[in-house]
């Protein structure tokens, strides 16, 4: 079809009146298309039909689709192709025979023949119609080019994301000229050779508009087309396409229609875009020439300013024309407007507008058939003559309707696509090309003004919809749900208007700013509203791709753990080890029976038993188990057994209760063939031999293989057939034969081990080689249909006949046709897999297709990963492979969330440091998910594989040891890992990260010690090393201790700078750093056991070399922060005799520094920094409760356990459990009731359940003093654990959207002018606790708080959230000692349990709105500056940010001196 700009459609069509066939993409009603394109008298043309639907039904459906499409176009400010209407039959076929005969001899029939060729697809390269060029681009698709003297418009129906590779041809130069000042948006320069510009995708087509530069010597535009999969579309000879450019001053091909060769009459063109050539007998020689410039669709039409040429006399006599001329859309629109005006300007709904437009088109058609000239109709429509003309049929009654608020018809900020014309009146309809001006038709002065939204209506509607979406909890939306939400937003605005609000009031309410900054309010507090960066509109899912999150498995696995059913395991162990006659057929029959027994089990045991059966069948598939032992199996018997087993597997897949069960069943299916028609294996080999006169003669290779096929066919025969084909194609090349054999895992020894051994070399048959190649290709298909169900062609053919969804057929065809174009094949394969997701369960053919597509993706990825040389390509590849992985594993929640994060990265993120940092955060998250997935696979499979491998006599040790590793490496996860590795150095370079991140700088710039390589820090945190040690640690969680004797610690992990292990490293002056380059870490690991000298540069780089220095003994005595013997003293305070106190009593010796600092800050901070209402349980209250008579047994048991801790640290856990058995004295509850009420802390003294939860939280804080990490930390610092005393601070939990920690001196560099900030979503426990991933981190200069520098973006997998409740915070005497960092050693416990939720980091408002992020970080930095100023020393601060309608609300939760 020809797709053109809505007001220029008729110029793109051949103007010859004998056009015999045409396809038009448009939403013009069918009768209007007929009037525009009809090439025979209308009375000779019966009512045409659209497709198989009647004209009226097609028109109704078309109108509905157009309405929805126009609304999306206006709201989202992007083009979209409206619904298509195609004439179903060539108009010539509708003519009477006599007319067809006349038409065939018409002097203009050449034009008609060209149009017939277009419809039939017979288009040659560069096919041209006066400035219109058609290029065949692939089968059944075209590129249409329309050229004017100012611009070029290209449209094409080639599917997918397309890029135009182009340049201008200039006189005297072979090189393409690359204009600088007329490049469309998104254009990049490809070396110095060409420009590459993405086409704009619309509904069913793509388009691009290029403004031509002022380059007089430019003669042509040269181009080729490529898609995202690196498929290039070129001319038939492999060269580029080219079309000439219009010369300056020439008539635009869009402005002047081609003249009929037999009639050189003047072009009748009263409209801005010339009217069509009139019939010969009505041509008026006084008509003005056609204009020479194209009239923009957004400028005023000359119809608004009639000139003298319009006032022409009417024809004295009227005669029906032989053919009707094409009617200009401007005339149709203006005619409909005049009809509406004559009817009194009533309100019309959309259907009524369409109906009115249609009536107007019919009236124009009838007047033309009555002999009226086109000029007369223009004059009448403009009001120069009577409207309507005398012969106009009576008007049709059109029902009035109220006019709802609709988005205005303002032009989008960028040029729109070459859309087809819209069948609505310009003056009143949404989606019209322009608004009718006052000059077109003066409006009625007495007509009541309908309220209209201002020019920013799309923004207002979008903001309203965004707010509604936000209030609903920011759920993921499909495009249909977004449309409905947007319509609801419009309805809400209508209600407000009807309620009496003005548009100004509505706009002000939606865009209300935050309160202005003052001394008592936060500076530059941003309003929480949808700004330009976060505008919501239909088609733009707030959470990225709306379907990815729907892939999360709702029931991934069974609860608990279990072992495989021993009875089932023993059955197949006995069969494998003790049956003398055993084949693959027997194995299939046995597994089928065992599967039925397994599915009768429940929960974890069923999963565990399925895993054992999967391990068993994988040993079989990898040839670890024999396929034939002392028994001959006919092909049909084997295929029958496989068919029965695979059918059972498909059925059980549909009945499986968890995703893990389905994964095991799918894995078993991948280990065996589909079954197919086994008898053909036996029959067809004989047919081939007989057809080519190859005798069944002993002593030949062919006969040996023939005998094997007859008696024991296996998957090996697929490899043998492929090898023999390579042999034949190589003209008897034995090397090719053995190469393919080796690649397929079939050795000479294996061939000779068959019961029907193959010991000879293959024979060549030169006289019939070509025939044999043909026949064995077909025979290979037969073998694969039985033995290789995951072969793509076999699986595709089976799926097409077994319920393959229609939406998967196109992508599948693309995969099959592009296996040598990896990116294209992968993209289509992922799309097809996603489409199969809802249809696959229980369908064997679709399950095999899914497995085959996964194999294709993995193979393409392995070929493509090493060729990734830029982040743009890497990003595309990474996205496809991550999506594929989400579809492949049962535990996919974190992967799907990461995929959603990746989809929400900024567009072209690879072009900036900030974008690359955001990408790094997602890649880090994916890496963690890959590690967890590998751990789960190993945990679920390796123990079973080792047990079965040891008990199965035929399985080799190496096959057992590598089992789970091979499963992981063969999975979709491995391909993602490969691309991560390839992208990593490029990411670090663009993000300016370097290979190292210093967490703790250490005491000296140079550290020397013996290298120790360990797996995880937690396992050695209690060790005391006798000499200085440089530790290379694979895993660091964040809550560990640094062992004594360690002078440097390096890890690939990136713990938060403010995590416990990071603080302890700085406290102990240990060099602690993250290394992002695995090669560097491997070099360091190579020094294991040797002395190493490590140097830290001022720029933050780490270098190292082997040292010749002798080992230096490390002090075995307890160390302080300055390296000497600890001089820190910890004295246990006395009880103040009060069970609970208010803030006025927060004094030294009564409570810890957390409580005291909060009390000291009252009245010393700006009002916008909030302090939570608080009470405290003083020091030694725990001991007082323990001394209560009701707790005497608990006290005795605790003392007994604690006495053994020094020699057995496991007793600490018992101590904590005993503390939880304490009973509360009545005085404790009474005191807390009173103090909470006085302080304004939410407290329900009458609710027994409230008190039970509160006392349980209090006991949990007391019990946390008996944790191993705290005990070891105190012991290392030389502090007696027995002197520890715990106060507890009780506060209302701040409803945090974000939690933050501030160090007012940069802890990594010690720079006193830098404030260091880390921020996470939800509660702060994910920041200070052991939760993997990075926080949003930044440094802010104290003399420039408004310009934070982002160091990392968040990659935490979860956030912690809790409803309104209380939190009980530890406030011990061991947390604020000078020279000792005890922060984070003890627990803070909420009264109600928090909820752990997966978080989409990249779709968060702080990530999507850079300005909002900057302002929030500025506020948080201001908090740090104010607190440090008030207390006079560097501070370690915790707080929360609540996003409100008035802007961010900051609450300071606690602060203590920074260590």
């Amino acid at each position: 079809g020809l797709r053109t700009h809505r007001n220029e459609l008729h110029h793109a069509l051949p103007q010859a009146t004998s056009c015999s066939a045409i396809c038009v993409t448009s939403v013009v009603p069918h009768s209007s298309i007929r009037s525009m394109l009809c090439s025979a008298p209308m009375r000779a043309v019966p009512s045409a039909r659209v497709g198989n639907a009647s004209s009226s039904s097609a028109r109704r459906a078309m109108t509905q689709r157009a309405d929805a499409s126009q609304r999306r176009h206006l709201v989202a400010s992007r083009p979209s192709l409206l619904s298509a209407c195609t004439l179903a039959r060539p108009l010539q076929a509708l003519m009477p025979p006599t007319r067809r005969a006349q038409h065939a001899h018409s002097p203009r029939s050449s034009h008609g023949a060209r149009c017939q060729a277009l419809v039939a697809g017979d288009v040659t390269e560069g096919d041209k119609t006066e400035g219109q060029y058609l290029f065949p681009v692939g089968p059944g698709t075209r590129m249409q080019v329309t050229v004017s003297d100012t611009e070029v418009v290209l449209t094409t129906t080639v599917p997918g994301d397309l890029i135009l590779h182009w340049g201008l041809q200039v006189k005297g130069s072979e090189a393409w000229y690359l204009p600088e000042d007329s490049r469309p948006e998104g254009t990049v320069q490809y070396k110095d050779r060409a420009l590459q510009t993405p086409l704009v995708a619309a509904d069913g087509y793509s388009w691009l508009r290029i403004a031509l530069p002022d380059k007089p010597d430019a003669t042509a535009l040269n181009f080729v087309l490529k898609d995202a999969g690196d498929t290039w579309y070129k001319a038939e000879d492999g060269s580029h396409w080219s079309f000439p450019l219009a010369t300056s001053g020439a008539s635009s091909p869009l402005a002047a229609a081609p003249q009929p060769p037999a009639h050189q009459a003047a072009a009748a063109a009263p409209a801005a875009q010339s009217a069509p050539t009139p019939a010969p007998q009505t041509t008026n020689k006084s008509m003005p020439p056609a204009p020479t410039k194209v009239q923009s669709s957004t400028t005023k039409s000359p119809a608004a300013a009639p000139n003298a040429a319009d006032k022409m006399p009417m024809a004295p006599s009227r005669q029906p024309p032989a053919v009707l001329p094409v009617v200009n859309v401007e005339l149709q629109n203006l005619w409909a407007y005049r009809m509406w005006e004559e009817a009194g300007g009533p309100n019309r709904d959309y259907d009524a507008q369409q109906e009115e437009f249609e009536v107007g088109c019919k009236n124009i058609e009838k007047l033309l058939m009555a002999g009226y000239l086109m000029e007369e109709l223009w004059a009448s429509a403009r009001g120069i003559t009577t409207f309507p003309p005398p012969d106009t049929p009576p008007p049709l009654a059109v029902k009035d309707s109220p006019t709802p608020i609709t988005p205005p018809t303002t032009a989008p900020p960028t040029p729109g696509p070459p859309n087809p014309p819209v069948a609505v009146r310009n003056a009143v309809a949404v989606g019209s090309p322009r608004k009718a001006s006052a000059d077109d038709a003066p409006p009625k002065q007495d007509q009541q003004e309908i309220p209209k939204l201002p020019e920013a209506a799309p923004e207002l509607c979008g903001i309203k919809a965004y707010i509604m979406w936000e209030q609903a909890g920011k759920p993921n939306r499909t495009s249909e749900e977004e449309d409905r939400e947007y319509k609801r937003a419009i309805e809400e605005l209508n209600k407000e208007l009807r309620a009496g609000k003005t548009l100004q009031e509505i706009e002000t309410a939606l865009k209300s700013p935050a309160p202005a900054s003052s001394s008592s309010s936060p500076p530059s507090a941003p309003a929480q509203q949808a700004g330009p960066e976060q505008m919501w509109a239909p088609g733009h899912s707030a959470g990225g791709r709306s379907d990815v999150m729907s892939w999360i498995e709702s029931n991934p696995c069974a609860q608990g753990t279990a072992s495989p059913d021993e009875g089932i395991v023993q059955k197949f162990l006995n069969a494998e080890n003790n049956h003398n006659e055993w084949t693959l057929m027997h194995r299939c029959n046995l597994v089928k029976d065992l599967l039925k027994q397994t599915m009768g089990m429940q929960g974890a045991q069923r999963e565990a038993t399925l895993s054992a059966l999967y391990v068993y069948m994988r040993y079989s598939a990898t040839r670890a188990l024999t396929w034939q032992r002392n028994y001959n199996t006919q092909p049909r018997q084997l295929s029958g057994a496989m068919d029965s087993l695979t059918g059972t597997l498909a059925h059980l897949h549909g009945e499986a209760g968890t995703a893990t069960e389905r994964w095991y069943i799918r894995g078993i299916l991948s280990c065996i063939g589909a079954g197919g028609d086994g008898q053909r294996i036996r029959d067809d080999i004989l047919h081939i031999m007989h057809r080519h006169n190859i005798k069944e003669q002993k002593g030949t290779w062919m006969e040996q293989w023939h005998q094997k096929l007859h008696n024991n066919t296996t998957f090996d025969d697929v490899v043998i057939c492929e090898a023999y084909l390579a042999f034949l194609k190589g003209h008897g090349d034995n090397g090719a034969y053995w190469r393919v054999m080796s690649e397929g895992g079939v050795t000479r020894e294996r061939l000779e081990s068959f019961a029907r051994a193959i010991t000879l070399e293959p024979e060549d048959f030169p006289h019939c080689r070509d025939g044999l190649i043909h026949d064995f290709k077909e025979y290979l298909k037969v073998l694969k249909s039985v033995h290789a169900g995951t072969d793509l062609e076999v699986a595709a053919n089976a799926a097409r006949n077994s319920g393959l969804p229609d939406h998967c057929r196109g992508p599948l065809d693309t995969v099959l046709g592009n296996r040598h174009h990896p990116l294209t094949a992968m993209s289509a394969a992922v799309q097809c897999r996603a489409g199969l997701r809802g249809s696959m369960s229980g369908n064997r053919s679709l399950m095999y297709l899914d497995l085959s597509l996964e194999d294709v993706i993995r193979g393409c990825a392995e070929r493509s990963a090493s060729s990734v040389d830029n982040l743009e390509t890497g990003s595309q590849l990474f996205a496809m492979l991550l999506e594929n992985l989400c579809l492949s594993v049962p535990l996919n929640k974190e992967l799907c969330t990461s995929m959603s994060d990746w989809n929400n990265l900024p567009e072209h993120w690879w072009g900036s440091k900030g974008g690359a940092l955001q990408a790094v955060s997602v890649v880090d998250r994916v890496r963690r998910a890959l590690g967890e997935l590998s751990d789960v696979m190993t945990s679920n499979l390796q123990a079973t594989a080792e047990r079965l491998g040891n008990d199965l006599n035929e399985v080799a040790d190496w096959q057992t040891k590598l089992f789970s590793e091979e499963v992981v490496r063969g999975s979709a996860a491995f391909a993602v890992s490969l691309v991560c590795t390839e992208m990593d150095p490029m990411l670090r370079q663009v993000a300016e990260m370097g290979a190292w991140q210093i967490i703790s700088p250490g005491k000296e710039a140079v550290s020397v010690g013996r290298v120790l390589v360990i797996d995880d820090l937690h396992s050695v945190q209690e060790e005391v090393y006798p000499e200085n040690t440089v530790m290379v640690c694979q895993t660091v969680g964040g809550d560990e201790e640094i062992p004594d004797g360690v002078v440097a610690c390096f890890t690939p992990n990136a713990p938060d700078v403010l995590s416990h292990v990071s603080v302890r490293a700085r406290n102990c002056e240990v060099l602690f750093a993250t290394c992002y380059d695995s090669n560097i870490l491997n070099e360091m690991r190579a020094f294991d056991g040797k002395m190493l000298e490590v140097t830290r540069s001022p720029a933050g780089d780490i270098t190292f070399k082997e040292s010749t220095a002798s080992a230096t003994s490390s002090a075995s005595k307890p160390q302080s922060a300055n390296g000497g013997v600890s001089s820190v003293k910890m004295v246990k305070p006395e009880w103040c005799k009060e069970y609970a106190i208010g803030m006025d009593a927060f004094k030294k010796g009564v409570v810890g520094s957390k409580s005291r600092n909060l009390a000291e800050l009252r009245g010393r901070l700006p009002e916008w920094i909030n302090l939570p209402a608080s009470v405290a349980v003083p020091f030694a209250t725990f001991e007082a409760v323990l001394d209560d008579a009701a707790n005497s047994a608990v006290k005795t048991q605790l003392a007994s356990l604690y006495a053994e801790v020094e020699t057995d640290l496991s007793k600490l856990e018992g101590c904590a459990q005993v503390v939880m058995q304490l009973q509360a004295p009545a005085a404790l509850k009474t005191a807390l009731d009173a103090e909470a009420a006085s302080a304004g802390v939410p407290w329900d003294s009458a609710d027994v359940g409230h008190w039970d939860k509160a006392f349980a939280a209090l006991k949990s804080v007391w019990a946390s003093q008996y944790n191993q990490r705290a005990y070891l930390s105190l012991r290392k610092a030389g502090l007696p654990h027995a002197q520890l005393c715990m106060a507890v601070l009780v506060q209302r939990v701040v409803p945090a959207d974000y939690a933050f920690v501030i160090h007012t001196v940069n802890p990594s560099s010690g720079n006193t002018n830098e404030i260091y900030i880390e921020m996470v979503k939800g509660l702060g426990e994910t920041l200070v606790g052991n939760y993997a991933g990075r926080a949003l981190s930044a440094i802010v200069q104290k003399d420039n708080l408004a310009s934070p520098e982002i160091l990392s973006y968040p990659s935490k997998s979860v956030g912690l959230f809790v409803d309104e409740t209380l939190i009980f915070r530890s406030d011990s005497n061991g947390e604020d000692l000078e020279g000792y960092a005890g922060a984070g050693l003890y627990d803070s416990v909420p009264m109600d349990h928090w909820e752990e939720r997966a978080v989409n980091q990249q779709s968060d408002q702080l990530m999507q709105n850079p300005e909002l992020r900057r302002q929030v970080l500025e506020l948080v930095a201001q908090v740090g500056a104010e607190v440090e100023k008030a207390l006079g020393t560097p501070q370690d601060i915790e707080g929360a940010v609540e996003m409100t309608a008035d802007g961010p609300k900051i609450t300071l939760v606690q602060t203590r001196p920074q260590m």
Side-chain angles (χ1 to χ4, degrees), residues 761-777:
E761 297 292 322
E763 302 96 13
D764 188 20
F765 300 90
H767 66 283
C768 60
R769 185 184 295 137
D770 291 342
L772 284 173
I773 290 174
H774 172 272
D775 286 355
F776 276 112
K777 281 183 178 179

Side-chain angles (χ1 to χ4, degrees), residues 29 233 243 299 333 533 552 580 641 694 699 817 893 935 1149 1186 1275:
Y233 299 92
F243 57 84
T299 58
N333 278 322
E533 296 90 345
I552 295 175
N580 186 49
I694 300 174
K893 184 175 183 178
D935 292 344
L1186 197 63
R1275 187 171 70 178

Side-chain angles (χ1 to χ4, degrees), residues 514-579:
S517 175
S518 67
S519 59
S520 63
S521 63
S524 305
Q528 188 185 16
Q529 66 180 36
E533 296 90 345
Q534 56 182 166
M535 178 58 64
W536 184 96
H540 296 282
S541 174
R545 281 187 50 151
S546 59
D547 56 342
V548 176
M549 297 301 290
S550 69
W551 296 350
I552 295 175
E553 296 289 356
S554 58
N555 188 18
C557 60
Q559 298 298 315
T561 58
S563 299
D565 181 82
E566 189 60 26
I568 286 181
V569 171
Q570 287 301 323
K571 284 183 180 179
F572 64 72
L573 288 177
N574 178 63
E576 292 292 336
N577 293 334
N578 300 324
H579 287 195

Side-chain angles (χ1 to χ4, degrees), residues 1012-1073:
L1012 174 65
V1013 178
I1014 60 173
D1015 288 332
D1016 68 279
L1017 184 58
H1018 190 274
S1019 64
V1020 298
Q1021 63 178 346
E1022 301 176 32
E1023 298 293 333
V1024 176
Y1025 295 105
E1027 58 182 350
N1028 289 348
T1029 300
V1030 174
M1031 186 174 288
V1032 183
C1033 183
Q1034 180 63 30
T1035 303
V1036 175
D1039 63 344
E1040 303 92 341
E1041 286 290 323
I1042 300 292
D1044 283 345
V1046 173
V1047 296
C1049 181
F1050 305 109
T1051 177
N1053 300 141
D1056 291 322
V1057 174
L1058 305 182
S1059 65
H1060 176 75
V1061 70
S1062 303
V1063 173
R1064 295 300 297 149
R1066 290 191 293 271
N1067 186 241
C1068 298
E1069 296 184 327
V1070 171
L1071 174 59
F1072 186 30

